[in-house]
Amino acid sequence: MEENIKVAVSDFKQLLEKLQVQEKSQSQVGASFRARMREVISLIDEVGLIPALSFFYSKSTKSIYEEILKVMQAKEKGNIKEEDSTKKGYALALYFTLKRISELRLIASIASLENPLNAFEELEGKQRLAFKLIFSYLLEMKRLAEATFEREER
């Protein structure tokens, strides 16, 4: 199994553990994450990696992103509450994308995960390479989200 696929499966399982709802398919945060993962690849392709990720950061807001970061890095299960689901979906998509890019050593891991603006600066000049390296990861996260979560209600 390709490394990106293995990591995506592991990361997705971590997300499922962090969701607070019993029935994961009914999660509004999961539905938002599903929608974001469906759009991230085409958005990166259309506008570029940094503009796409900064768009996700703007939609999640700094405080929600920091909340998601804290929850995802904690050891406990079931900490993502269902309120602000759309913002949390954007934050999760941003978090997992930056996490994978940092694991590939294209950005400094901790500092860039904690401050996406630093990550955006570090990615300057590496956008195409980063997208090429994370494409299969993002595609697998999209597939797993589509298989697990219901559509986001509009």
Side-chain angles (χ1 to χ4, degrees), residues 49-51 53-54 94 97-98 101-102 105-108 112 116-131 134:
L49 183 63
I50 295 170
L53 296 181
S54 64
L94 175 62
T97 304
L98 289 178
I101 290 170
S102 73
R105 301 193 191 317
L106 293 170
I107 57 175
S112 295
L117 297 177
N118 290 345
F120 303 155
E121 283 182 345
E122 286 185 61
L123 282 169
E124 194 62 47
K126 304 177 199 172
Q127 293 183 73
R128 285 188 183 191
L129 173 64
F131 183 47
I134 64 168

Side-chain angles (χ1 to χ4, degrees), residues 128-143:
R128 285 188 183 191
L129 173 64
F131 183 47
K132 195 173 191 175
L133 292 174
I134 64 168
F135 179 81
S136 61
Y137 171 84
L138 295 174
L139 190 59
E140 188 64 18
M141 289 293 272
K142 172 188 167 262
R143 289 176 181 150

Side-chain angles (χ1 to χ4, degrees), residues 40-52:
V40 70
I41 294 172
S42 60
L43 187 62
I44 292 170
D45 193 43
E46 287 174 25
V47 300
L49 183 63
I50 295 170

Side-chain angles (χ1 to χ4, degrees), residues 56-110:
F56 276 37
Y57 190 44
S58 74
K59 290 298 206 175
S60 69
T61 73
K62 185 176 190 276
S63 62
I64 296 289
Y65 179 78
E66 288 170 351
E67 177 186 331
I68 290 296
L69 179 69
K70 184 178 175 184
V71 168
M72 294 308 295
Q73 291 180 336
K75 301 276 188 258
E76 304 84 37
K77 293 181 182 179
N79 292 316
I80 300 176
K81 295 178 177 67
E82 286 293 300
E83 66 265 358
D84 293 321
S85 61
T86 300
K87 290 180 180 182
K88 288 179 180 173
Y90 278 107
L92 283 163
L94 175 62
Y95 167 78
F96 282 117
T97 304
L98 289 178
K99 178 179 176 286
R100 186 64 190 138
I101 290 170
S102 73
E103 290 167 349
L104 294 168
R105 301 193 191 317
L106 293 170
I107 57 175
S109 60
I110 300 300

Side-chain angles (χ1 to χ4, degrees), residues 25 101 146:
S25 67
I101 290 170
E146 287 176 328

